Amino acid sequence: MSEDRYIYDLSEGDASMRHLLGGKGAGVAEMNRVGVPVPDAFTVTTVACVETMNRGGQWPDGLADQVAAGLARLEERTGRKLGGKDKPLLVSVRSGAVFSMPGMMDTILNLGISDESVAAVAAEAGNERFAWDCYRRFIQMYGEVVEGVPSHLYEDALTALKTERGVAQDTDLDAEDLKGLVQTFKRISTEYLGGDWTSDPVEQLNRAIDAVFKSWLNPRAEVYRRAHNIPADLGTAVNIMQMVFGNRGDTSATGVCFTRNPSTGEKALYGEFLVNAQGEDVVAGIRTPRTLSEMRETLPDAYDELISTMEKMEHHYKDMQDMEFTVENGKLYLLQTRNGKRTAAAALKVASDLVDEGLITKEEALLRIEPAQLDQLLHPAIDPSHGKQSIATGLPASPGAAVGEVVFDADTAAERGGRGEKVVLVRYETTPDDIHGVIVAQGILTAHGGMTSHAAVVARGMGKPCVAGAQGIRIDAVGKKLTIGDRVISEGEVITLDGTNGLVYGEALDLIPPQINEDFQHLVQWADEVRELGVRANADNFEDASKARELGAEGIGLCRTEHMFMAQDRLPAVRKMILAENQEQRAAALAEILPMQQTDFEGIFTAMKGLPVTVRLLDPPLHEFLPNLVEQSLLVQRLEFEGGDEQELGEARATLAQVKKLHEQNPMLGTRGCRLAMLYPEIPDMQARAIVRAALAVLDREGETVGVEIMIPLVALSQELKAQRAIVEAAVEDEFAKAGRRLDYTIGTMIELPRAALVADKIAEHADFFSFGTNDLTQTTIGISRDDAENGFLTNYVMDRVLERNPFETIDVEGVGQLVATGVEKGRSLKPALKTGVCGEHGGDPDSVEFFNSVGLNYVSCSPFRVPIARFAAAKAVLKQR
Amino acid sequence: MSEDRYIYDLSEGDASMRHLLGGKGAGVAEMNRVGVPVPDAFTVTTVACVETMNRGGQWPDGLADQVAAGLARLEERTGRKLGGKDKPLLVSVRSGAVFSMPGMMDTILNLGISDESVAAVAAEAGNERFAWDCYRRFIQMYGEVVEGVPSHLYEDALTALKTERGVAQDTDLDAEDLKGLVQTFKRISTEYLGGDWTSDPVEQLNRAIDAVFKSWLNPRAEVYRRAHNIPADLGTAVNIMQMVFGNRGDTSATGVCFTRNPSTGEKALYGEFLVNAQGEDVVAGIRTPRTLSEMRETLPDAYDELISTMEKMEHHYKDMQDMEFTVENGKLYLLQTRNGKRTAAAALKVASDLVDEGLITKEEALLRIEPAQLDQLLHPAIDPSHGKQSIATGLPASPGAAVGEVVFDADTAAERGGRGEKVVLVRYETTPDDIHGVIVAQGILTAHGGMTSHAAVVARGMGKPCVAGAQGIRIDAVGKKLTIGDRVISEGEVITLDGTNGLVYGEALDLIPPQINEDFQHLVQWADEVRELGVRANADNFEDASKARELGAEGIGLCRTEHMFMAQDRLPAVRKMILAENQEQRAAALAEILPMQQTDFEGIFTAMKGLPVTVRLLDPPLHEFLPNLVEQSLLVQRLEFEGGDEQELGEARATLAQVKKLHEQNPMLGTRGCRLAMLYPEIPDMQARAIVRAALAVLDREGETVGVEIMIPLVALSQELKAQRAIVEAAVEDEFAKAGRRLDYTIGTMIELPRAALVADKIAEHADFFSFGTNDLTQTTIGISRDDAENGFLTNYVMDRVLERNPFETIDVEGVGQLVATGVEKGRSLKPALKTGVCGEHGGDPDSVEFFNSVGLNYVSCSPFRVPIARFAAAKAVLKQR
């Protein structure tokens, strides 16, 4: 039986092997292949990690031998020996997943330094202190990451030593101090591990690889994967690479660079470096680095080579690259290259520029855009007319604006943000452990770290505003206080972040809608040329309709009428209608509501003139317009106890009686939608008249009106639609007759119950169009009440991966999607040209849009601000299906 | 263009033409064909009625001409002329639907009598009074039924005349009086109709036919069709038949007869007749008739001919016949024959006897049984040990016993019965207008009318107990009082009816389960030989399980475990579990519940030993075990106002907090079923252990135990079943290990959500069996909350025929059925031998059983008392599909 191959040497890989070698492994192999200087290395495959997970942590047969052989070959090639007395080999052991998960998994540097090798390292470097500092750092990192020794044990020993020596900085400790510290660290480790500590570098390497495997399953990585929809079963590769040292003195350095500005997309030098430092110092944001342009003076040769390498790699990958490098004694090494994470604005500009530069086609440019990410461009910014002074300035680490109450730890942020409260997470610096707080915060403020610090990278990826490394702010996380000058801000006070300009304001500022720039217009126009799905918006007032049109909506796919009923000034008339004891009283109350509805429709129709507007007739159960049962019951009892005004009590009791009468066990499945209209045909009659009158009024005033589409909600039975269609047609024709003129109009239905999809051929008989209400269809198909579930088991299901995605965010293709496909197919079996759309929130979700495109819907409809996202998503769907 | 043919002469029809000529038209034609004496006639087809309805009441082209031609031929054959001066032809105009709807539509007798013809009628009869009485009856009937003249106008005039003449009875009026009355009636009619009254018999005939068409749509016919699931679009035929007169004196008579006893099925003379009367007098129950055997003396020749005709027709139709006859001057005419309506007991006996007599096969016998009707056999009877005196005696018109509060009108019965209250409808006599009250009443008591009166016929058809023509009872419908001797019973007081013996008791008596007799055993055994579906019962305690087994259940298809949780003595432990703050507390509470559950299971398993039992793990949301939110909120507020015991208030608040926490907007779609078990795996663990311990204990004690089938509820995702299966398997295996022995067992799932059916192939991977929970599947597929809807719009939907059937009673084949079929098909695509069953209430509904048989389920499961019904229904399903 031949063994699986789990190890690839650096020279054996290339960019195409990403799934096997991870992004990092494939990237360095590709750089090596095209002649970019890369330290020598070998990679343990993702398959080895997956098999280890599947065996409950046990390595597959042969892996240990293959690691040993890979190491032997690396030693052979470098002429060095891991932990050897002469020419020792030191390596880094890094995770490298298929999809980038920055900082989420473990890394061990300087592996190979040992009692045997430390002298040789010192000799080679000509710097004994460097060697012993490496060694104590290694023990600390290896002990913590691989063996789980609590970090404070090492920190305490370090602090004790500094106190003993009377020094403040680590750098003030000399070689002898560090030598002693290595002994102390070894003793601490051995004691903590009860003798299981190893000083054998080969054994350390094996344990380090195993630790990286395990870090795939650590909670923060799991949270990150969920947030980015990365499958849980991919596993990580492990890269073992010869160490190069950016901390060998003033001709050494380490840094990260982007081939273009990841925040704006501009083609300009972008990067940071630190002289005499190791890479983790930059990424972790512990020391504030210098900008790349300064490197030209400090390290001119390495700088030139870096610039040409950046250009080479960008051309090679035809995309903006994010690279890590180290300069060792003046010689440049690249440690990593990958397509750089970028803001949505940068993504648009880079894609647009790459097309202009002839590197990629328009279609490729569109495929580069992650539609969901565009959301951040559509986020509000601070209203510039505020006239307030900022209280602090930092790096503009992720654009956009955020207003929220200050919280000082990720757990609190996660808890309060999870409840829907707006919070800003304020941290000295963020670490991968904070990820759950970052996800729900409105924005992030850190006192430390640069543009490539953890907080900055993560916030940009999520389209969340971030101000990093803010000057002069002091954070007391325990006392829950933020001090800026003499201003003290406690937990719960509101601040505003301007991530675009790096400013912090000590109060809530007004936000304004985002501006759509030229690059955006550019690309979205290309998207429009490609896409097949129409994109409409869900809007039920003039403002939203106008905004939707401005963002490119080609009509309204869902104009709800219940918000018009719920407006405070309408409720008295609406309640009169509900409390009506007979048809006449109800008709009288509806007559009061009619002109109000008409006015609303006129506003919407004016905003949308020339385009189609689908108006959904009243959908919610009547009790939604009445007080809550519990509250009204308590009110009556309270009035009884207080023995107050008889009339007030009488009215409260009458209302309670009505609330009880209309109360339903499961209102979601109750007397709503067309069921209500079947009981009270006066309601659809009134609504149809208001729609027609508004459409005619707009025609008179504007010379143009909308394409009127009247939609009957919650149809389960073809008889319902038949009956409702007759009522609406009669009212519409009556209005036309009275007005002495007519308009084209259509009548259709929501398909939002499983039965409707199953008998869509029967329903299509009476429908001019179908609009899939995938919110309700999801609720009934899966049997989940959204309100209850998202506060309950559904969250656990997504957390525990019982469900891969929240089906209310991305359509459940397997279940709900099957019904959508059936509905379209059966509907068109009767009427081949039946117009079909979707008006659930899925209409603005890119993955769902891709599905809707695949089943041949005519359009999607989503909230106004998601219209551009849907336009891109629709284009991508076409391109991906080609 | 050739016209459709709308008229068939008597000699042109036969029994096979029932859909065109209606039951009555086809029946008389068939009798004529085989030589039974029938008055001459012609029939207007059901198609003519349907086309008239479709044209909004306008007759189709050619119908009027065809009626005229049909009349001309009838006149030719009889040598008489409608309304003619000499030898006048008088006819009856009767409705005749495809399916018998006794008394629901209109009838006009004596049409053809007129100013022209009355003298000739008198001369032919040799009785002037007879002729004028016919004439005034005709005007009254025609005026009311065809022209809509209020009946009281005629009644008032009649009363005034009697007062004027100083007589009490109609029969005391002489020919001259009646002659004057005819003039008065004509004047009344003309005045009321504003001149539209016609005295032309041909025009009257046309209008009468039209009135019969219209009567198809009258409300009482509509109610009857709904109750009997008769389609609304069949229409009625109209039979125009030469009048024969049972009221020509003492050698004339009219009557109805059954070829066997329709109450018991015994082969014995059964019928009633009235000398010198017209047919309506018998059917309407206005005069109490004599039994048929008495006719032998009164009218010996006609009697002999009737007996031989009865025998002939029963052999001809191979089924018990219900016949109407008239003797005119000693000559027998048959006016109608049809398969007689009968009680379930009679149906069984007749079918069994007909097989014994060699007239039909066993399969034909089974096809004769209406399984739903068997329900009445399974109704309780009065416990014979009651020792009470009956307070009244009447005719045993429909067997079974009923206990309920007295109501005196159909509207009140409909209203209160509709709310689920038990009422007994007490009427002087029932009319077709009372049908909506009869449907919901527990039983019917009338003071008047015989075994073939309206109340009796309708009650038998519905399997409702009825005591008819009770002696010595006085009914004051206005004062809402029933007086028997000196006992006065007011509305709302409870009585008991014994329909089997015709007794009335003035209090609530205990009822006992029905006895299954020999005929029943006989036929159900034949059914078992034929059927392919297994029949199980839903039962969750020893008593129900034992009863189910006695009634032939082949196992338990649904043993719910929540009732065990809800028992009053368990609730404290259950609440402890719900209120547990951590897993340990919850486990401790569950440990208290385990032995209780085990005891319950032991009882059930003992009753079912040797058969399979499907135990469903806990299904309802936890808040069902806590107090109601509104009530608890009110309690807390009340305690606050009263300022009482601090501890009580504290506890009430704590409970309220928990109730609020568990409260859901739509509990039907909430955290229940396996979702609960996913959150609290301790619950399925405990339940699995209780099941295994019980099964082993029963094995030890009884030497035999059940086939254990553990069922996971509310699965939507294959991941859920996978996870739950693992939990249950672990618990079961652990119990086996502890016990040192094992049992065979299977684990399956409910398919009760649309998604589960849609992805049944994925779910089948982890399931040994599927049980379709069609109650919940109906709720989610159609989006209807059963509790809310049956008190709300659903009732209207069925009433208005938006829905043909209540989908919770008979499965919605088109929608929900499609998902059941998909679930079976997809499940078996993965596991061809997958066992599938149904455990919703549809399992006991014959039409639904037929559907389940057609999609290839292995078994149905229903409530214990419906097990025999399901056995018959399953057999019929097979026979009908052959």
Side-chain angles (χ1 to χ4, degrees), chain A residues 637 665 675 720 755 762 783 788 797 812 814 818 826, chain B residues 637 665 675 720 755 762 781 783 788 797 812 814 818 826:
Chain A
Q637 192 186 51
Q665 294 300 314
R675 296 164 187 177
E720 290 172 324
R755 192 183 195 282
K762 302 280 167 59
D788 299 323
Y797 271 22
D812 160 38
E814 198 180 35
Q818 203 178 132
K826 291 202 167 181
Chain B
Q637 191 186 52
Q665 293 300 315
R675 297 165 186 177
E720 290 171 326
R755 193 184 194 284
K762 303 281 167 58
T781 303
D788 299 322
Y797 270 24
D812 159 38
E814 196 180 36
Q818 203 177 132
K826 290 200 167 182

mmCIF file of all heavy atoms in Angstrom, chain A residues 637 665 675 720 755 762 783 788 797 812 814 818 826, chain B residues 637 665 675 720 755 762 781 783 788 797 812 814 818 826:
data_model
loop_
_atom_site.group_PDB
_atom_site.id
_atom_site.type_symbol
_atom_site.label_atom_id
_atom_site.label_comp_id
_atom_site.label_asym_id
_atom_site.label_seq_id
_atom_site.Cartn_x
_atom_site.Cartn_y
_atom_site.Cartn_z
ATOM 1 N N GLN A 637 -56.418 45.423 34.788
ATOM 2 C CA GLN A 637 -56.334 45.032 36.194
ATOM 3 C C GLN A 637 -55.879 46.202 37.072
ATOM 4 O O GLN A 637 -56.397 46.414 38.167
ATOM 5 C CB GLN A 637 -55.362 43.850 36.351
ATOM 6 C CG GLN A 637 -55.455 43.215 37.733
ATOM 7 C CD GLN A 637 -54.386 42.154 37.935
ATOM 8 O OE1 GLN A 637 -53.207 42.388 37.701
ATOM 9 N NE2 GLN A 637 -54.797 40.983 38.356
ATOM 10 N N GLN A 665 -52.679 32.179 18.577
ATOM 11 C CA GLN A 665 -51.572 31.403 19.127
ATOM 12 C C GLN A 665 -50.329 31.574 18.281
ATOM 13 O O GLN A 665 -49.227 31.681 18.781
ATOM 14 C CB GLN A 665 -51.939 29.910 19.168
ATOM 15 C CG GLN A 665 -53.055 29.562 20.101
ATOM 16 C CD GLN A 665 -52.750 29.934 21.526
ATOM 17 O OE1 GLN A 665 -51.667 29.670 22.021
ATOM 18 N NE2 GLN A 665 -53.673 30.606 22.182
ATOM 19 N N ARG A 675 -56.225 36.112 3.689
ATOM 20 C CA ARG A 675 -57.262 35.528 4.550
ATOM 21 C C ARG A 675 -58.111 36.631 5.180
ATOM 22 O O ARG A 675 -59.329 36.494 5.324
ATOM 23 C CB ARG A 675 -56.603 34.702 5.650
ATOM 24 C CG ARG A 675 -55.845 33.529 5.067
ATOM 25 C CD ARG A 675 -54.885 32.912 6.053
ATOM 26 N NE ARG A 675 -54.085 31.897 5.368
ATOM 27 C CZ ARG A 675 -53.121 31.211 5.929
ATOM 28 N NH1 ARG A 675 -52.809 31.432 7.192
ATOM 29 N NH2 ARG A 675 -52.462 30.316 5.240
ATOM 30 N N GLU A 720 -58.375 31.372 -3.461
ATOM 31 C CA GLU A 720 -58.178 32.659 -2.793
ATOM 32 C C GLU A 720 -57.810 33.723 -3.816
ATOM 33 O O GLU A 720 -58.355 34.829 -3.823
ATOM 34 C CB GLU A 720 -57.050 32.559 -1.747
ATOM 35 C CG GLU A 720 -57.399 31.726 -0.538
ATOM 36 C CD GLU A 720 -56.196 31.497 0.374
ATOM 37 O OE1 GLU A 720 -55.052 31.349 -0.136
ATOM 38 O OE2 GLU A 720 -56.376 31.438 1.597
ATOM 39 N N ARG A 755 -47.377 25.430 0.118
ATOM 40 C CA ARG A 755 -48.450 24.949 -0.739
ATOM 41 C C ARG A 755 -48.546 25.752 -2.024
ATOM 42 O O ARG A 755 -48.821 25.214 -3.099
ATOM 43 C CB ARG A 755 -49.793 24.988 -0.013
ATOM 44 C CG ARG A 755 -50.871 24.233 -0.765
ATOM 45 C CD ARG A 755 -52.229 24.327 -0.086
ATOM 46 N NE ARG A 755 -53.145 23.337 -0.623
ATOM 47 C CZ ARG A 755 -53.776 23.457 -1.780
ATOM 48 N NH1 ARG A 755 -53.587 24.518 -2.522
ATOM 49 N NH2 ARG A 755 -54.576 22.491 -2.202
ATOM 50 N N LYS A 762 -51.662 25.777 -10.657
ATOM 51 C CA LYS A 762 -53.066 26.154 -10.448
ATOM 52 C C LYS A 762 -53.178 27.654 -10.145
ATOM 53 O O LYS A 762 -54.090 28.327 -10.613
ATOM 54 C CB LYS A 762 -53.669 25.376 -9.265
ATOM 55 C CG LYS A 762 -53.603 23.874 -9.414
ATOM 56 C CD LYS A 762 -54.708 23.364 -10.320
ATOM 57 C CE LYS A 762 -54.473 21.918 -10.736
ATOM 58 N NZ LYS A 762 -54.393 20.989 -9.617
ATOM 59 N N GLY A 783 -40.191 25.558 9.157
ATOM 60 C CA GLY A 783 -40.939 25.547 10.408
ATOM 61 C C GLY A 783 -40.248 26.342 11.491
ATOM 62 O O GLY A 783 -40.176 25.918 12.647
ATOM 63 N N ASP A 788 -38.449 34.327 16.963
ATOM 64 C CA ASP A 788 -38.096 33.476 18.097
ATOM 65 C C ASP A 788 -36.739 32.819 17.893
ATOM 66 O O ASP A 788 -35.902 32.784 18.785
ATOM 67 C CB ASP A 788 -39.160 32.384 18.273
ATOM 68 C CG ASP A 788 -40.533 32.979 18.547
ATOM 69 O OD1 ASP A 788 -40.603 34.004 19.251
ATOM 70 O OD2 ASP A 788 -41.522 32.426 18.060
ATOM 71 N N TYR A 797 -27.655 26.780 16.285
ATOM 72 C CA TYR A 797 -27.515 25.895 15.128
ATOM 73 C C TYR A 797 -26.393 26.382 14.210
ATOM 74 O O TYR A 797 -25.611 25.587 13.695
ATOM 75 C CB TYR A 797 -28.834 25.838 14.344
ATOM 76 C CG TYR A 797 -29.786 24.757 14.803
ATOM 77 C CD1 TYR A 797 -29.700 24.222 16.080
ATOM 78 C CD2 TYR A 797 -30.762 24.261 13.954
ATOM 79 C CE1 TYR A 797 -30.576 23.238 16.496
ATOM 80 C CE2 TYR A 797 -31.645 23.269 14.362
ATOM 81 C CZ TYR A 797 -31.541 22.762 15.636
ATOM 82 O OH TYR A 797 -32.403 21.771 16.042
ATOM 83 N N ASP A 812 -31.838 28.890 1.880
ATOM 84 C CA ASP A 812 -31.603 27.456 2.045
ATOM 85 C C ASP A 812 -31.914 26.791 0.703
ATOM 86 O O ASP A 812 -33.044 26.419 0.421
ATOM 87 C CB ASP A 812 -32.536 26.952 3.165
ATOM 88 C CG ASP A 812 -32.754 25.454 3.121
ATOM 89 O OD1 ASP A 812 -31.805 24.708 2.824
ATOM 90 O OD2 ASP A 812 -33.897 25.029 3.395
ATOM 91 N N GLU A 814 -31.213 23.952 -0.636
ATOM 92 C CA GLU A 814 -31.643 22.555 -0.651
ATOM 93 C C GLU A 814 -33.140 22.401 -0.356
ATOM 94 O O GLU A 814 -33.820 21.603 -0.981
ATOM 95 C CB GLU A 814 -30.831 21.814 0.409
ATOM 96 C CG GLU A 814 -30.835 20.320 0.256
ATOM 97 C CD GLU A 814 -29.989 19.677 1.352
ATOM 98 O OE1 GLU A 814 -29.964 20.189 2.491
ATOM 99 O OE2 GLU A 814 -29.348 18.657 1.060
ATOM 100 N N GLN A 818 -35.624 24.616 -3.321
ATOM 101 C CA GLN A 818 -36.331 23.603 -4.105
ATOM 102 C C GLN A 818 -37.764 24.063 -4.394
ATOM 103 O O GLN A 818 -38.287 23.861 -5.499
ATOM 104 C CB GLN A 818 -36.344 22.297 -3.297
ATOM 105 C CG GLN A 818 -36.514 21.061 -4.122
ATOM 106 C CD GLN A 818 -36.471 19.787 -3.259
ATOM 107 O OE1 GLN A 818 -37.309 18.918 -3.383
ATOM 108 N NE2 GLN A 818 -35.506 19.685 -2.379
ATOM 109 N N LYS A 826 -43.485 25.253 -12.240
ATOM 110 C CA LYS A 826 -44.917 24.955 -12.381
ATOM 111 C C LYS A 826 -45.684 26.170 -12.893
ATOM 112 O O LYS A 826 -46.603 26.044 -13.691
ATOM 113 C CB LYS A 826 -45.503 24.494 -11.050
ATOM 114 C CG LYS A 826 -44.996 23.132 -10.623
ATOM 115 C CD LYS A 826 -45.947 22.479 -9.634
ATOM 116 C CE LYS A 826 -45.579 21.013 -9.471
ATOM 117 N NZ LYS A 826 -46.473 20.301 -8.557
ATOM 118 N N GLN B 637 -48.794 41.290 39.208
ATOM 119 C CA GLN B 637 -49.310 42.642 39.441
ATOM 120 C C GLN B 637 -50.292 42.652 40.611
ATOM 121 O O GLN B 637 -50.296 43.554 41.436
ATOM 122 C CB GLN B 637 -49.985 43.166 38.168
ATOM 123 C CG GLN B 637 -50.309 44.653 38.256
ATOM 124 C CD GLN B 637 -51.105 45.142 37.064
ATOM 125 O OE1 GLN B 637 -52.137 44.565 36.709
ATOM 126 N NE2 GLN B 637 -50.622 46.182 36.414
ATOM 127 N N GLN B 665 -43.307 33.985 20.025
ATOM 128 C CA GLN B 665 -44.341 34.613 19.199
ATOM 129 C C GLN B 665 -45.193 33.559 18.505
ATOM 130 O O GLN B 665 -46.402 33.693 18.386
ATOM 131 C CB GLN B 665 -43.685 35.485 18.111
ATOM 132 C CG GLN B 665 -42.951 36.688 18.648
ATOM 133 C CD GLN B 665 -43.866 37.610 19.417
ATOM 134 O OE1 GLN B 665 -44.966 37.893 18.971
ATOM 135 N NE2 GLN B 665 -43.443 38.035 20.584
ATOM 136 N N ARG B 675 -35.419 20.399 18.360
ATOM 137 C CA ARG B 675 -34.678 21.644 18.625
ATOM 138 C C ARG B 675 -34.398 21.784 20.117
ATOM 139 O O ARG B 675 -33.331 22.240 20.537
ATOM 140 C CB ARG B 675 -35.506 22.837 18.144
ATOM 141 C CG ARG B 675 -35.723 22.793 16.657
ATOM 142 C CD ARG B 675 -36.826 23.727 16.215
ATOM 143 N NE ARG B 675 -37.054 23.518 14.781
ATOM 144 C CZ ARG B 675 -37.988 24.130 14.090
ATOM 145 N NH1 ARG B 675 -38.793 24.996 14.664
ATOM 146 N NH2 ARG B 675 -38.125 23.870 12.802
ATOM 147 N N GLU B 720 -29.752 17.417 12.271
ATOM 148 C CA GLU B 720 -30.467 17.260 13.539
ATOM 149 C C GLU B 720 -30.658 15.774 13.855
ATOM 150 O O GLU B 720 -30.404 15.321 14.973
ATOM 151 C CB GLU B 720 -31.848 17.932 13.466
ATOM 152 C CG GLU B 720 -31.808 19.444 13.419
ATOM 153 C CD GLU B 720 -33.176 20.064 13.137
ATOM 154 O OE1 GLU B 720 -33.973 19.456 12.385
ATOM 155 O OE2 GLU B 720 -33.445 21.153 13.636
ATOM 156 N N ARG B 755 -39.711 21.066 4.695
ATOM 157 C CA ARG B 755 -38.314 20.832 4.351
ATOM 158 C C ARG B 755 -37.908 19.370 4.525
ATOM 159 O O ARG B 755 -37.138 18.827 3.741
ATOM 160 C CB ARG B 755 -37.389 21.719 5.191
ATOM 161 C CG ARG B 755 -35.965 21.738 4.658
ATOM 162 C CD ARG B 755 -35.021 22.543 5.530
ATOM 163 N NE ARG B 755 -33.768 22.817 4.842
ATOM 164 C CZ ARG B 755 -32.794 21.935 4.664
ATOM 165 N NH1 ARG B 755 -32.924 20.715 5.152
ATOM 166 N NH2 ARG B 755 -31.697 22.254 4.019
ATOM 167 N N LYS B 762 -31.865 12.896 2.128
ATOM 168 C CA LYS B 762 -30.770 13.173 3.061
ATOM 169 C C LYS B 762 -31.117 12.668 4.464
ATOM 170 O O LYS B 762 -30.275 12.131 5.177
ATOM 171 C CB LYS B 762 -30.497 14.684 3.141
ATOM 172 C CG LYS B 762 -30.167 15.339 1.818
ATOM 173 C CD LYS B 762 -28.715 15.075 1.437
ATOM 174 C CE LYS B 762 -28.444 15.432 -0.028
ATOM 175 N NZ LYS B 762 -28.740 16.825 -0.359
ATOM 176 N N THR B 781 -47.353 23.536 5.686
ATOM 177 C CA THR B 781 -47.450 23.582 4.222
ATOM 178 C C THR B 781 -48.457 24.630 3.774
ATOM 179 O O THR B 781 -48.208 25.390 2.842
ATOM 180 C CB THR B 781 -47.859 22.201 3.673
ATOM 181 O OG1 THR B 781 -46.905 21.247 4.105
ATOM 182 C CG2 THR B 781 -47.912 22.215 2.155
ATOM 183 N N GLY B 783 -49.586 26.893 5.874
ATOM 184 C CA GLY B 783 -49.378 28.111 6.663
ATOM 185 C C GLY B 783 -50.575 28.433 7.525
ATOM 186 O O GLY B 783 -50.989 29.576 7.641
ATOM 187 N N ASP B 788 -55.979 28.452 15.735
ATOM 188 C CA ASP B 788 -56.533 29.748 15.382
ATOM 189 C C ASP B 788 -57.534 29.616 14.243
ATOM 190 O O ASP B 788 -58.611 30.201 14.275
ATOM 191 C CB ASP B 788 -55.407 30.692 14.955
ATOM 192 C CG ASP B 788 -54.403 30.909 16.081
ATOM 193 O OD1 ASP B 788 -54.844 30.993 17.243
ATOM 194 O OD2 ASP B 788 -53.202 30.986 15.804
ATOM 195 N N TYR B 797 -63.821 29.424 5.136
ATOM 196 C CA TYR B 797 -63.309 28.890 3.872
ATOM 197 C C TYR B 797 -64.077 27.640 3.458
ATOM 198 O O TYR B 797 -64.395 27.459 2.289
ATOM 199 C CB TYR B 797 -61.823 28.557 4.010
ATOM 200 C CG TYR B 797 -60.893 29.701 3.663
ATOM 201 C CD1 TYR B 797 -61.322 31.024 3.734
ATOM 202 C CD2 TYR B 797 -59.584 29.469 3.260
ATOM 203 C CE1 TYR B 797 -60.478 32.073 3.412
ATOM 204 C CE2 TYR B 797 -58.728 30.511 2.940
ATOM 205 C CZ TYR B 797 -59.181 31.810 3.019
ATOM 206 O OH TYR B 797 -58.330 32.835 2.698
ATOM 207 N N ASP B 812 -55.104 17.336 2.429
ATOM 208 C CA ASP B 812 -55.067 18.160 1.222
ATOM 209 C C ASP B 812 -54.144 17.465 0.226
ATOM 210 O O ASP B 812 -52.933 17.654 0.227
ATOM 211 C CB ASP B 812 -54.528 19.540 1.626
ATOM 212 C CG ASP B 812 -53.964 20.335 0.454
ATOM 213 O OD1 ASP B 812 -54.547 20.253 -0.646
ATOM 214 O OD2 ASP B 812 -52.958 21.031 0.649
ATOM 215 N N GLU B 814 -53.628 17.656 -2.928
ATOM 216 C CA GLU B 814 -52.932 18.460 -3.931
ATOM 217 C C GLU B 814 -51.665 19.120 -3.368
ATOM 218 O O GLU B 814 -50.643 19.166 -4.046
ATOM 219 C CB GLU B 814 -53.909 19.541 -4.418
ATOM 220 C CG GLU B 814 -53.500 20.209 -5.697
ATOM 221 C CD GLU B 814 -54.528 21.258 -6.101
ATOM 222 O OE1 GLU B 814 -55.104 21.923 -5.216
ATOM 223 O OE2 GLU B 814 -54.752 21.414 -7.302
ATOM 224 N N GLN B 818 -48.798 16.070 -1.854
ATOM 225 C CA GLN B 818 -47.651 16.091 -2.749
ATOM 226 C C GLN B 818 -46.349 15.935 -1.944
ATOM 227 O O GLN B 818 -45.423 15.233 -2.375
ATOM 228 C CB GLN B 818 -47.648 17.444 -3.484
ATOM 229 C CG GLN B 818 -46.900 17.443 -4.784
ATOM 230 C CD GLN B 818 -47.002 18.801 -5.496
ATOM 231 O OE1 GLN B 818 -46.005 19.335 -5.927
ATOM 232 N NE2 GLN B 818 -48.185 19.356 -5.605
ATOM 233 N N LYS B 826 -38.518 10.078 -2.076
ATOM 234 C CA LYS B 826 -37.118 10.422 -1.837
ATOM 235 C C LYS B 826 -36.497 9.539 -0.750
ATOM 236 O O LYS B 826 -35.348 9.140 -0.855
ATOM 237 C CB LYS B 826 -36.995 11.895 -1.433
ATOM 238 C CG LYS B 826 -37.287 12.837 -2.581
ATOM 239 C CD LYS B 826 -36.687 14.216 -2.320
ATOM 240 C CE LYS B 826 -36.726 15.020 -3.614
ATOM 241 N NZ LYS B 826 -36.113 16.344 -3.465
#
